[in-house]
Amino acid sequence: MRVLVVLAHPEPQSLNVALSKVIAEELQTGGHEVQVSDLYAMGWKSNIDRADFPTFPKDKPLAIAKASQLAYTAAHLTEDVMAEQKKLLWADTVILQFPLWWFSMPAILKGYVDRVWSCGFAYGVGEHSDKRYGDRYGEGVFAGKRAMLVVTAGGWESHYSARGINGPIDDLLWPINHGILYYPGFTVLPAFVAFRVDRYDKAAFDATADRLRERIRTLSATDPIPFRPQNMGDYEIPAMVLRDDIQSEGQEGFKLHQAPSSEKQL
Ligand code: FAD
């Protein structure tokens, strides 16, 4: 495997950085290639703005998607963005690793997605017709590649359970798993989440590191989240509503967009 880890933590001595070393070591032990984009260490620019599109006319209002598409097509994106796109294309597996901050990813990682998932690259691609609505949700530039989140959270596992006050962790991670990873084509694996990490001692760290090593060893064999592909008949086009006759027994909320295991997958 060729694995890209995109890591978002500002502290080299943090739990997250320690766990990223566990991931890299386990992959190297297994004979795999690994690259780590350590966003804070790289001084990653997190906000998308006019500087991202150096050749966009200075006298025109900045329309981000248009500017992004023009710059991507002409290879006029900034060097840092193009370097990350190259790494993503090199990888067959991508891991986004971060501490849960305000129920989501740190801003630097969101900014990575805003800037690197360019128009014409990760969105705004493919045929739009009465049969297709672009290459997305199961199709797109990352089709055939796997992706997984590695997340640490201060809250308890029960706080993130089906009836937990924070909401189910799979629902909280849904915008990332479905909207950021599945959208441009990744096959998305269930997230690795470590809960209640703020008072970790060595024993707790070792147990989590063991659990993480096992997930890394089984990356290529793990069943993905069975998100429903967009252009394969489950949705009415162009409304993009799940067909009425698909009952999805027992599925509701975000889970409507996952096929029950009894249904055939793409
Ligand atoms: P660290 O602070 O680096 O370490 C955590 C513990 O692990 C410490 O006890 C440390 O001593 C120990 N440790 C670190 N490295 C090792 C090692 N190598 N061996 C043994 N022990 C080690 N939590 C939620 O659940 N939901 C939220 O919405 C949320 N929002 C937050 C927003 C902000 C802005 C912040 C700052 C925190 C938030 N938290 C939230 C908590 C956050 O998720 C955790 O603090 C974070 O996941 C801990 O990861 P870390 O890498 O920063 O850990």
Side-chain angles (χ1 to χ4, degrees):
M1 287 189 294
R2 292 186 303 276
V3 182
L4 173 65
V5 181
V6 184
L7 166 69
H9 200 290
E11 172 51 56
Q13 296 189 59
S14 65
L15 176 64
N16 268 269
V17 171
L19 291 176
S20 77
K21 289 177 185 157
V22 168
I23 294 173
E25 281 164 15
E26 189 59 36
L27 286 167
Q28 280 154 356
T29 303
H32 305 292
E33 294 173 70
V34 57
Q35 294 193 66
V36 180
S37 287
D38 181 342
L39 298 182
Y40 279 94
M42 291 157 66
W44 182 260
K45 170 183 178 284
S46 58
N47 55 325
I48 193 165
D49 58 21
R50 197 175 275 274
D52 281 297
F53 313 110
T55 57
F56 192 77
K58 304 242 173 319
D59 56 340
K60 287 207 175 136
L62 182 65
I64 301 281
K66 186 72 195 161
S68 176
Q69 186 181 39
L70 290 172
Y72 171 72
T73 308
H76 287 165
L77 291 163
T78 55
E79 290 296 329
D80 58 348
V81 167
M82 288 197 288
E84 291 307 307
Q85 290 179 345
K86 202 167 149 197
K87 289 185 206 170
L88 287 158
L89 293 175
W90 164 86
D92 53 43
T93 306
V94 173
I95 293 174
L96 304 185
Q97 193 199 338
F98 58 91
L100 194 69
W101 282 358
W102 290 111
F103 301 95
S104 189
M105 51 170 71
I108 199 169
L109 182 54
K110 176 58 164 48
Y112 179 89
V113 175
D114 288 347
R115 296 183 60 227
V116 176
W117 268 224
S118 304
C119 186
F121 178 64
Y123 69 100
V125 289
E127 169 196 332
H128 286 72
S129 67
D130 56 356
K131 296 209 170 43
R132 301 182 54 79
Y133 198 78
D135 296 347
R136 52 174 215 170
Y137 293 124
E139 298 170 274
V141 67
F142 301 131
K145 300 176 187 285
R146 302 191 137 214
M148 181 173 88
L149 306 181
V150 171
V151 183
T152 62
W156 300 21
E157 188 165 6
S158 62
H159 302 177
Y160 291 99
S161 64
R163 290 163 65 84
I165 190 164
N166 290 347
I169 191 70
D170 287 344
D171 283 4
L172 295 173
L173 297 179
W174 198 81
I176 307 174
N177 277 331
H178 189 261
I180 291 175
L181 296 175
Y182 189 57
Y183 187 105
F186 280 114
T187 296
V188 185
L189 306 185
F192 175 92
V193 186
F195 295 99
R196 212 175 169 180
V197 297
D198 284 325
R199 293 197 194 124
Y200 259 24
D201 55 14
K202 181 167 181 334
F205 177 86
D206 288 347
T208 292
D210 281 349
R211 197 161 63 84
L212 183 55
R213 280 191 201 96
E214 178 61 16
R215 286 297 306 272
I216 297 302
R217 275 195 292 273
T218 54
L219 270 178
S220 59
T222 301
D223 284 340
I225 305 172
F227 290 135
R228 292 178 182 281
Q230 173 185 268
N231 291 318
M232 304 296 157
D234 286 359
Y235 295 91
E236 291 166 18
I237 298 175
M240 303 317 313
V241 174
L242 193 62
R243 279 187 2 237
D244 277 346
D245 58 307
I246 295 180
Q247 293 302 323
S248 286
E249 204 67 39
Q251 312 279 96
E252 52 186 32
F254 291 142
K255 287 227 160 53
L256 266 179
H257 303 286
Q258 289 178 210
S261 49
S262 53
E263 273 183 40
K264 193 168 169 284
Q265 279 301 290
L266 180 68

